[in-house]
Amino acid sequence: MEDKRRRARVQGAWAGSVKSQVVAQPATSAKSLLHQRPGHSWTNKEHHLSDKQFVFKEPQQVVRRAPEPRVIDKEGVYEISLSPTGISRVCLYPGFVDLKEADRVLEQLFRDIPWKQRTGIRGDVTYQQPRLTAWYGELPYTYSRITMEPNPHWHPVLRTLKNQIEQNTGHTFNSLLCNLYRNEKDSVDWHSDDEPSLGRHPIIASLSFGATRTFEMRKKPPPHRVPREYHSRDLRINLTFRTVCPDPHGAQR
């Protein structure tokens, strides 16, 4: 009984007598631990810490600082970035189409355009694009490994809109990519619109009808997108008029 009272619990296991605790040596490796005799256990030993200390230091120079986001919601011309290839500008024209006329155009394009959900490719993975698209133009158009076949049969409403845009901007366009966002779950990921067929300095006229959506832009990488949203959004159609060149190397200079 006296011997049992002298037993002490060490690190979750019952140790031997006080005498055996004093002379017991801690295992120094997995191999020695396997050969440890019953009744012997680790004793409290002082751990020797390394003299090296890790000290965090703030970098003296910031390599890249993200610009503060800003909202563009008023009519005007905005310079959004400067690069070796030139200045990128956004020209915003709110209410380009009368509100009642815009509602009529939305309904007609939703009904008449041959919308299609296409299969995208990212790396070795295929996926269904989270929106519907359609293409108009004499030439094919390839982006993100998706080729839109030529479709010279312009809808009369689209041709009228193209003429209005050309008169107001002074730029001509021969092609149109239509995007249909069915609800807040539809989106388009970051992309550049820098395919060789668009020329060295592409100009795109983007005209939207329907629900208001956020349109994000930022300097490469990556430049702009229409993100998925987490509150209810109604139907939205976006028309992006562009100029596709038959010879990418002879495109706009």
Side-chain angles (χ1 to χ4, degrees):
M1 293 294 295
E2 186 65 24
D3 181 64
K4 291 182 180 180
R5 293 192 184 97
R6 286 198 299 266
R7 285 181 176 270
R9 190 175 187 180
V10 180
Q11 296 185 354
W14 287 101
S17 63
V18 175
K19 183 177 180 180
S20 65
Q21 292 177 36
V22 174
V23 298
Q25 297 295 323
T28 57
S29 66
K31 182 177 180 180
S32 61
L33 184 61
L34 291 174
H35 294 286
Q36 186 177 350
R37 291 176 308 200
H40 290 259
S41 65
W42 290 78
T43 58
N44 293 326
K45 291 290 185 178
E46 183 178 345
H47 296 281
H48 298 286
L49 300 178
S50 172
D51 293 334
K52 294 182 179 180
Q53 294 183 351
F54 296 93
V55 180
F56 173 78
K57 293 183 179 180
E58 291 284 351
Q60 297 180 354
Q61 183 178 3
V62 178
V63 178
R64 178 181 178 184
R65 187 183 299 277
E68 291 294 326
R70 57 174 177 164
V71 177
I72 298 176
D73 56 3
K74 293 180 173 57
E75 182 175 351
V77 180
Y78 301 84
E79 294 184 356
I80 58 175
S81 69
L82 175 63
S83 67
T85 58
I87 299 174
S88 296
R89 295 184 178 91
V90 171
C91 305
L92 181 62
Y93 301 97
F96 183 79
V97 178
D98 178 76
L99 186 59
K100 290 184 178 180
E101 178 67 10
D103 290 339
R104 186 188 68 80
V105 170
L106 176 69
E107 293 178 4
Q108 188 167 4
L109 296 183
F110 175 67
R111 181 180 65 248
D112 295 350
I113 288 181
W115 301 106
K116 180 180 179 181
Q117 186 172 26
R118 288 172 168 79
T119 301
I121 303 175
R122 185 180 293 113
D124 295 329
V125 179
T126 60
Y127 64 95
Q128 292 294 303
Q129 287 188 327
R131 64 189 179 282
L132 307 184
T133 58
W135 175 254
Y136 290 88
E138 299 283 345
L139 300 172
Y141 179 56
T142 299
Y143 71 97
S144 301
R145 299 166 67 180
I146 299 174
T147 297
M148 314 285 280
E149 297 300 328
N151 176 19
H153 308 293
W154 285 72
H155 190 288
V157 172
L158 297 177
R159 188 173 294 280
T160 299
L161 292 172
K162 183 175 87 73
N163 293 337
Q164 292 178 0
I165 291 174
E166 291 176 340
Q167 292 174 6
N168 281 268
T169 64
H171 298 284
T172 58
F173 305 93
N174 64 5
S175 305
L176 169 64
L177 176 61
C178 307
N179 296 278
L180 172 61
Y181 302 93
R182 294 160 293 184
N183 51 45
E184 68 280 359
K185 295 182 176 62
D186 278 358
S187 62
V188 60
D189 207 352
W190 295 112
H191 60 284
S192 302
D193 285 330
D194 60 354
E195 288 75 25
S197 62
L198 297 178
R200 295 181 58 188
H201 305 288
I203 296 175
I204 295 177
S206 177
L207 181 60
S208 297
F209 299 89
T212 299
R213 292 286 298 264
T214 300
F215 181 68
E216 297 178 334
M217 293 179 288
R218 61 179 181 177
K219 196 172 182 179
K220 283 187 175 181
H224 54 269
R225 68 172 180 171
V226 176
R228 180 176 178 176
E229 300 196 15
Y230 297 93
H231 33 251
S232 179
R233 294 296 187 197
D234 292 330
L235 188 77
R236 172 187 173 91
I237 290 178
N238 172 252
L239 310 175
T240 54
F241 295 88
R242 53 193 72 202
T243 300
V244 175
C245 304
D247 179 11
H249 301 288
Q252 303 167 354
R253 300 293 180 182

